[in-house]
């Protein structure tokens, strides 16, 4: 079996033709080496799984090329999952303004480190720092690659060789193996766990080892404990920090600038509240509830931000011009007061259920006119991205029948749509497309893709044997 299949592996020249036919355009030299590496992969696949026909092994390999070389893993997709900040779909989509600023900064020279007035060297972080002073009362700020980098950098600069007190309820793992105790050790600090898993009081942070050290408050962003629990406020921690001469750092996680209770979920501490409450330094993500590009923001006392900026790691994790342009454009929405309309994450959180119902009904109507059976369901959506864990938002979804195919096959066809892939979610063997996380401007495209894919499923109904 394996021997015969090995003989069925196409030659280098016919593979080169096949690649061209599939729109996989590479240079002539590359097409020969690509064809050889495909042959090698297919040969290995057949030897490992002798029952796999050469044609199937080849198809698997070519599909990967389609994904990586022809269309790119980074292409635009529609998020129909109902999870607003979806980590696997790249977290926050930025506003149109931010996207334009980022594209412009990427494509040209920018006055990143020049003061246009004097022509002398200026700081690359000045603009974002200025915006955060207005928006959150931060004396100074700096932008790094992400919040993980922000915490590592802040601790490395302020806590190396010192003791950092962390509540037992907050010695958490954020995800992807990012664990607060490990980051602390990496920064050269010594961890002192205080309090208990469920209850920690400000007085628990009073400890001889913490004198001259750091108190770190970490937002338990991706889990919630309830019941017999207690956590000190930032203002209470400020009191203990002052008694002991310790620096108070708060890792806010999402770091919102707006009152999230307006969206019908819990109030998240805002950056301004944390700083006003007495945090010396706050760190937060740019691409969670803030709704900007991936970034980590360090904000707070000027002398401490300066110390952080001078640490050798700062250069290693600093944000580039594209990120800075995106963060600044995002922050300007808050200044203008148009953040709920312009920043996609906030728009998705703020949208009301009636609007979702209307949009879903309009799409359903278009599908039904094409003979596609759909239902509208009232569902539950989530903020996601380790923000506001478990807190539900009401949702409205279009529920699709898979026809004779399986739901997972229908979902796969939508994900692989050549123009605009759509990611939905499967619930009780139905495929749901959640409207909350779809940009209203994408409703038209979404309808087209659903008609395309469901329509072809229906057309195939009469002939389940057909392969395509
Ligand atoms: C998400 C999160 C981080 C990590 O932020 P990234 O921007 O993903 O690096 C750190 N701390 C908390 C509390 C978080 O929620």
């Amino acid at each position: 079996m394996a021997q015969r299949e090995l003989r069925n592996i196409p030659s280098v020249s016919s593979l080169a033709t096949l690649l061209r036919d599939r729109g996989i355009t590479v240079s002539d030299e590359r097409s020969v080496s690509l064809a050889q590496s495909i042959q090698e992969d297919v040969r290995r696949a057949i030897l490992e799984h002798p029952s796999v026909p050469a044609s199937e092994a080849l198809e698997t390999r070519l599909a990967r090329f389609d994904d990586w070389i022809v269309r790119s893993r980074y292409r635009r997709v529609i998020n129909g999952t109902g999870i607003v900040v979806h980590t696997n779909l790249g977290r926050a989509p930025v506003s149109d303004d931010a996207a334009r600023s980022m594209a412009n900064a990427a494509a040209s020279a920018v006055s990143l480190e020049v003061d246009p007035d004097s022509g002398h060297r200026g700081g690359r972080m000045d603009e974002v720092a200025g915006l955060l002073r207005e928006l959150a009362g931060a004396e100074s700020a700096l932008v790094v690659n992400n919040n993980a980098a922000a915490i590592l950098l802040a601790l490395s600069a302020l806590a190396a060789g010192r003791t950092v007190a962390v509540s037992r309820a907050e010695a958490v793992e954020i995800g992807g193996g990012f664990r607060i105790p490990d980051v602390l050790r990496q920064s050269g600090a010594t961890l002192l766990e205080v309090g208990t898993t469920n209850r920690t009081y400000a007085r628990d942070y009073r400890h001889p080892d913490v004198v001259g050290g750091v108190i770190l408050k970490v937002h338990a962003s991706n889990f919630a404990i309830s019941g017999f629990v207690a956590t000190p406020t930032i203002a209470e921690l400020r009191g203990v920090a002052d008694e002991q001469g310790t620096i108070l750092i708060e890792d806010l996680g999402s770091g919102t600038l707006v009152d999230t209770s307006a969206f019908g979920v819990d109030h998240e501490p805002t950056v301004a509240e944390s700083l006003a409450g007495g945090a010396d330094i706050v760190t937060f993500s740019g691409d969670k509830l803030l709704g900007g590009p991936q970034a980590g923001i360090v904000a707070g006392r000027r002398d401490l931000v300066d110390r952080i900026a001078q640490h050798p790691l700062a250069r290693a994790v600093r944000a580039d011009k594209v990120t800075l342009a995106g963060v600044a454009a995002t922050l300007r929405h808050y200044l203008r007061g148009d953040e709920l309309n312009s920043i996609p994450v906030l728009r998705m959180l703020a949208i009301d259920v009636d609007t979702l119902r209307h949009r879903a009904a309009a799409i359903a109507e278009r599908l039904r006119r094409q003979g596609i059976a759909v239902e509208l369901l009232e569902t539950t959506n989530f903020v996601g991205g380790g923000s506001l864990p478990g807190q539900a938002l009401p949702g409205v979804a279009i529920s699709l029948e898979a026809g004779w195919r399986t739901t997972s096959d229908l979902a796969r066809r939508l994900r692989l749509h050549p123009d605009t892939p759509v990611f939905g979610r499967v619930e009780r063997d139905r495929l749901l497309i959640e409207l909350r996380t779809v940009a209203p401007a994408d409703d038209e495209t979404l309808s087209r893709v659903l008609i395309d894919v469901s329509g072809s499923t229906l057309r195939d109904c009469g002939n389940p044997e057909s392969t395509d």
Side-chain angles (χ1 to χ4, degrees):
M1 177 76 180
Q3 283 311 315
R4 199 184 67 224
E5 288 306 324
L6 286 176
R7 280 196 300 275
N8 285 339
I9 299 175
S11 67
V12 164
S13 65
S14 53
L15 275 174
T17 311
L18 191 65
L19 290 173
R20 230 183 356 263
D21 290 350
R22 287 182 71 126
I24 300 176
T25 355
V26 292
S27 68
D28 286 348
E29 306 91 89
R30 188 71 63 197
S31 92
V32 172
S33 64
L34 208 52
Q36 284 164 342
S37 93
I38 291 173
Q39 280 187 326
E40 190 45 47
D41 281 0
V42 173
R43 187 173 297 122
R44 203 173 313 126
I46 293 169
L47 291 176
E48 264 172 41
H49 306 281
S51 58
V52 173
S55 57
E56 194 181 314
L58 178 62
E59 194 44 52
T60 306
R61 183 70 160 87
L62 289 176
R64 208 160 70 223
F65 273 130
D66 277 346
D67 194 21
W68 290 351
I69 296 179
V70 182
R71 290 198 291 258
S72 170
R73 183 61 65 84
Y74 313 119
R75 70 186 177 276
R76 168 185 127 77
V77 306
I78 288 180
N79 174 6
T81 64
I83 295 168
V84 174
V85 180
H86 198 300
T87 301
N88 296 353
L89 297 182
R91 288 199 185 161
V94 301
S95 72
D96 292 343
D97 269 7
R100 257 192 308 275
S101 296
M102 293 174 82
N104 287 338
S108 62
V110 299
S111 48
L112 182 66
E113 294 187 354
V114 203
D115 176 0
D117 186 26
S118 63
H120 296 312
R121 179 142 193 201
R124 61 162 58 206
M125 303 296 174
D126 291 355
E127 180 169 324
V128 169
L131 287 161
L132 282 168
R133 194 173 316 130
E134 289 306 319
L135 293 167
E139 280 181 21
S140 187
L142 91 117
V143 185
V144 295
N145 182 54
N146 55 15
N147 189 27
I151 300 161
L152 177 63
L153 174 63
L155 290 173
S156 301
L158 305 179
R162 296 167 197 264
T163 296
V164 178
V166 179
S167 162
R168 286 203 163 79
E170 298 174 1
V172 295
E173 176 178 310
I174 308 299
F178 188 82
R179 296 175 147 195
I180 290 296
D182 295 342
V183 176
L184 264 169
R185 263 188 295 279
Q186 182 64 38
S187 70
T190 306
L191 169 67
L192 177 73
E193 285 193 23
V194 303
T196 63
T197 308
N198 58 329
R199 291 175 84 88
T200 301
Y201 307 99
R203 63 169 186 271
D204 293 324
Y205 291 83
R206 237 177 246 135
H207 192 284
D209 290 356
V210 187
V211 174
V214 171
I215 291 175
L216 174 65
K217 185 169 171 59
V218 183
H219 191 280
S221 58
N222 51 7
F223 77 109
I225 55 171
S226 60
F228 192 58
V229 296
T231 325
T233 64
I234 198 79
E236 288 166 343
L237 290 179
R238 179 73 261 160
V240 180
D242 283 341
E243 283 169 31
Q244 306 183 115
T246 66
I247 294 170
L248 179 57
I249 301 178
E250 179 160 35
D251 168 15
L252 282 173
S254 286
T256 180
L257 295 176
V258 300
D259 178 4
T260 49
S261 70
F263 309 130
V265 292
D266 281 355
H267 174 80
E268 283 272 292
T270 66
V271 179
E273 284 164 4
S274 176
L275 290 172
D280 293 307
I281 288 291
V282 295
T283 73
F284 53 99
S285 290
D287 57 346
K288 289 182 180 173
L289 293 180
L290 196 71
Q294 178 188 302
I297 299 172
V298 178
R301 259 171 59 187
R302 180 183 306 283
D303 59 324
L304 298 181
V305 173
D306 286 349
R307 260 169 72 190
I308 292 168
Q310 278 150 25
H311 190 274
L313 253 186
R315 174 63 192 251
V317 298
R318 76 178 182 188
D320 74 320
K321 61 176 182 173
V322 177
T323 299
L324 287 167
V327 170
T330 303
L331 292 176
R332 261 186 237 108
H333 288 299
Y334 291 94
L335 214 54
R336 288 200 295 263
D338 65 356
E339 69 274 10
L340 294 189
N341 295 321
S342 305
I343 298 179
V345 164
L346 298 183
R347 197 171 52 208
M348 289 179 209
L349 291 174
I351 198 163
D352 66 278
V353 187
D354 266 340
T355 308
L356 294 177
R357 286 193 192 108
H358 278 114
R359 289 171 52 200
I363 294 170
E365 180 52 35
R366 296 175 66 158
L367 296 182
R368 288 183 187 128
R369 276 206 300 269
Q370 302 292 323
I372 297 163
V374 293
E375 252 186 87
L376 299 187
L377 296 182
E378 303 272 325
T379 56
T380 301
N381 296 161
F382 297 98
V383 181
S387 308
L388 295 157
Q391 295 209 33
L393 295 154
V396 178
I398 297 166
S399 165
L400 292 173
E401 300 273 353
W404 63 269
R405 293 177 187 278
T406 61
T407 306
S408 66
D409 184 52
L410 178 62
R412 181 168 171 275
R413 285 162 160 258
L414 284 168
R415 289 196 305 270
L416 289 174
H417 191 272
D419 298 331
T420 315
V422 173
F423 284 69
R425 74 184 175 89
V426 174
E427 186 181 272
R428 274 184 275 131
D429 213 33
R430 323 199 84 203
L431 181 67
L432 307 186
I433 309 295
E434 295 281 357
L435 267 292
R436 180 182 289 276
T437 46
V438 177
D442 283 341
D443 283 2
E444 172 109 26
T445 311
L446 174 64
S447 310
R448 217 167 351 96
V449 173
L450 295 182
I451 288 168
D452 219 19
V453 171
S454 306
S456 74
T457 305
L458 285 181
R459 276 196 300 283
D460 294 343
C461 271
N463 182 13
E465 255 70 62
S466 80
T467 51
D468 50 1

